[in-house]
Amino acid sequence: IVNATVPTGSMENTIMPADRIVALRTSYYFGEPERGDVVVFRYPDNEEVLYVKRVIGLPGETVTVRNGKVYINNETEPLYEDYLKEEFFGDYGPYVVPEGSYFMMGDNRNDSLDSRYWENKFVKEDKILGKVVFKYYKGFGLIK
């Protein structure tokens, strides 16, 4: 397992500041990360730092944000994201996700340092340490 504390509000309201989380390293032994998974990974701009974000873009996809809505591969309907903390504004992208990599965003989009802002925009699959499955301490419950 990976046991970590989340220091910021970038994943509110799914994970609150100071919540402790448990991620399973074995989650991806027999499969790959899926859109919507909350994962712990090595931050691409400084691999000594661990980050927790949600998988948004999968390998080979194009991610575009228009008027605060996320679109994959120029679909006409945006992603359904009922986990977002509040209404999100802005236009970003398009980002073409390389094979073997993922595009990550926080659930608190208005206050999240995520793939949109990193120098190295994508997380390589081998840098994902595990899928977050549980939180405890301040908050308590399963992560979905």
Side-chain angles (χ1 to χ4, degrees), residues 9-22:
S10 70
M11 286 299 293
E12 288 181 1
N13 286 330
T14 305
I15 302 170
M16 302 302 285
D19 275 354
R20 296 198 58 84
I21 53 118
V22 173

Side-chain angles (χ1 to χ4, degrees), residues 51-80:
Y51 265 38
V52 176
K53 301 287 181 207
R54 192 174 295 271
V55 174
I56 298 299
L58 304 176
E61 292 183 335
T62 299
V63 177
T64 307
V65 179
R66 291 190 310 267
N67 297 317
K69 304 287 184 207
V70 176
Y71 295 86
I72 304 297
N73 296 333
N74 295 315
E75 292 286 330
T76 57
E77 291 294 316
L79 286 182
Y80 175 69

Side-chain angles (χ1 to χ4, degrees), residues 16-134:
M16 302 302 285
D19 275 354
R20 296 198 58 84
I21 53 118
V22 173
L24 294 181
R25 290 182 186 266
T26 59
S27 294
Y28 301 120
Y29 280 10
F30 302 106
E32 297 176 350
E34 298 177 4
R35 186 179 348 277
D37 287 357
V38 177
V39 297
V40 177
F41 57 91
R42 296 196 179 282
Y43 173 45
D45 291 342
N46 179 358
E47 291 189 3
E48 293 180 14
V49 177
L50 300 184
Y51 265 38
V52 176
K53 301 287 181 207
R54 192 174 295 271
V55 174
I56 298 299
L58 304 176
E61 292 183 335
T62 299
V63 177
T64 307
V65 179
R66 291 190 310 267
N67 297 317
K69 304 287 184 207
V70 176
Y71 295 86
I72 304 297
N73 296 333
N74 295 315
E75 292 286 330
T76 57
E77 291 294 316
L79 286 182
Y80 175 69
E81 299 185 286
D82 62 345
Y83 44 77
L84 294 181
K85 178 182 178 190
E86 59 194 11
E87 191 170 355
F88 168 58
F89 299 97
D91 297 309
Y92 302 90
Y95 306 101
V96 179
V97 184
E99 289 301 323
S101 297
Y102 296 85
F103 188 86
M104 308 291 189
M105 294 178 82
D107 289 359
N108 184 3
R109 303 273 163 85
N110 294 315
D111 189 22
S112 178
L113 179 62
D114 54 37
S115 285
R116 296 170 292 159
Y117 302 109
W118 303 336
E119 182 178 332
N120 298 293
K121 303 265 181 231
F122 308 102
V123 175
K124 293 182 180 177
E125 186 170 8
D126 65 352
K127 301 303 179 184
I128 295 175
L129 301 180
K131 179 179 178 180
V132 177
V133 294
F134 191 75

